Amino acid sequence: MTTIDHLNPPTGYMADNVVGFARALRAAGIPVGPGAVIDALNALQAIEIGNRADVYATLEAIFVKRHEHMLIFAQAFDLFFRAAEDWKHMLDSVPLPDHAKKKPPPASRRVQEALAQPSTREEAQHEQQQELKLSVSDKEILQKKDFAQMSAAEIAEVTRAIANMKLPQAELRTRRYRPDAKGLRLDMRRTLRSSLRTGGEIIDIRKLGRIEKPAPIVALLDISGSMSEYTRLFLHFLHAITDARKRVSVFLFGTRLTNVTRALRARDPDEALASCSSSVEDWAGGTRIATSLHSFNKLWGRRVLGQGAIVLLISDGLEREADAKLAFEMDRLHRSCRRLIWLNPLLRFGGFEAKAQGIKMMLPHVDEFRPVHNLTSMEGLIEALSAPPPPHHMSRIRSAA
Amino acid sequence: MSASALPKSVDGMLELLTSRGYLAERSLATVAYLSLRMGRPLFLEGEAGVGKTEIAKVLSAALGRKLIRLQCYEGLDVASAVYEWSSAAQMIAIRLAEAAGDTDREQLSSDIFAERFLIKRPLLQALEPDVAGAPVLLIDELDRADEAFEAYLLEILSDFQVTIPEFGTIRAPHPPIVIITSNRTREIHDALKRRCLYHWVDYPEAERELAIVKSRVPGISAKLSQQVVRFVQALRDQDFYKSPGVAETIDWATALTELDARSLTPQLVGDTLGALLKYQDDIARMQGDTLQKVLKDATSET
């Protein structure tokens, strides 16, 4: 077995090709570091280039680290290394320019505008303002005002308020221990070590207590047309809590489901929202809640709902095609998470009744049904997130014990 | 079984696995070969029952190496994954030293933190030298452990050494062959994946699955094995919550041969469906007309 020289990878046309290919992959959205390029060159040396499939498998093993990148890789590979008859040619074929694969086009202008211009409803806004101005100060008006009726300036104000929201650390006891004087478990290792100071006499007993961590949050946000006035603010809200906690996954759904967790990780909210909007193709269209929930349950449920996750379903529940499938998928979602909180902006209306078929189907399967249309209700939500789990979950745990 | 040398090529790896009854896709053999050649951990992700754990067992047997398995679970910590001090033995040692009249504290502390009081857990065992060559370390279902453990693992996988504060640093003379599996109940952090060679293990094609069933279920008739594989392949095309894996196919084929079945009948399938589908919703969907249709396709002579 020959040893591989990690410091001096091979050079020449093959190196150019691999470097160019890595660039193409980066442009297509697969993160490829320089370390991986060196690995790839070494690996190609380790196999004898003579078989396209082997080269493919080799490069794939090194460049692809996520299942969802496999398709992109396959396309990029085919584009970059055109079906060459003889693989020996790879060594001296001319490298392609590095824009072999373009990034997906950013969201259309309509999307940009939909995001940039929160709509205002002049008359309603006027009326409500009149009503409230009699009794409360400006700040409180902002607290209670419906997001859908705010002017651009007020939206900016609210966005700032959201950014300053602090999530109390919701406690979820993990199965990991740390030194804790009030703990219940004996820490023999530290007890013994401290006993050595007194010549082996155990004087003080060291204890361990459980580490508590905030529960992971999974947000499913409806971005259909009927929700468009709220979408942007909810994204701000989700960005604010993503910043505060490590484990928040965010999915947007309209006619299809998109995972925007990574896009929301950018520090700057505007940057985060921009990269969100570029990854979603169906802003402000129709809703297909059942289909979206189905694909969430099938593709993501088991991957993000572990470790006692809380699910926030943010939707108005206005689904035309409400049938048994919707109830079934809601039920599955409910049974696979610790708590399912449904946030519905429609609840702002005093006389709100669940008349829509979809809402009736979904209601039996949620632990909590809350309004979320102004700052006050968002603050209420934050309190709810840190509350202990509802009683029926506790009883379920007890009966299992 | 003597230790055999590492395979010299992808074909060699394929032969090695096949000789042990593991019929791998060529892409999987390529990645496994590269992971041996480059000394990188192999990270296998895929649905349950597609043979991720199996490859570690087969590799260790074929190479004549020791297999060390670490099954992950939530709350897995250093004490159960790497090492632990045997406090009971240490306390006895302290009492004995007292009885013998040794009062030298320095001596006492170096005595009770000696190697004989160290309980070695899988990760530490994998770093120990072995006459047969470095062992195969299988870290199974990493997604069940929490992020804190993953971070610790990253440290071990980068330099294959463990530092024990009271004892010193233990370094592996030869790094073990590491195979990590995940069922994706949680996304593993990119930092760890970057260290590894990644492979998504998929369900096999019909032809390969048929070969697997024939090699794993001796005594199954050609007709039945063909019907079983066709039936399972058809199930995977349906939109089930949990499609049957290869392990389920083998289980089912074994169950059918135990029942002396010659070919599939609706009655037989209905009674044994629990070997294939593990969710009540999925089983409920596979009744009546759907079952008849899939069965008809699977048993039709071509």
Side-chain angles (χ1 to χ4, degrees), chain B residues 231 235 238 264-267 269-270 273 285-300:
Chain B
F231 188 85
L235 285 199
Q238 304 258 346
L264 296 180
T265 64
Q267 176 69 33
V269 174
L273 208 51
R285 276 186 49 195
M286 256 331 264
Q287 301 296 345
D289 294 346
T290 328
L291 178 63
Q292 293 288 2
K293 189 179 167 306
V294 177
L295 197 58
K296 193 160 154 281
D297 293 346
T299 51
S300 64

Side-chain angles (χ1 to χ4, degrees), chain A residues 226-237:
Chain A
S226 53
M227 291 279 294
S228 60
E229 287 138 350
Y230 298 100
T231 308
R232 189 174 161 80
L233 279 165
F234 289 151
L235 276 177
H236 268 289
F237 173 74

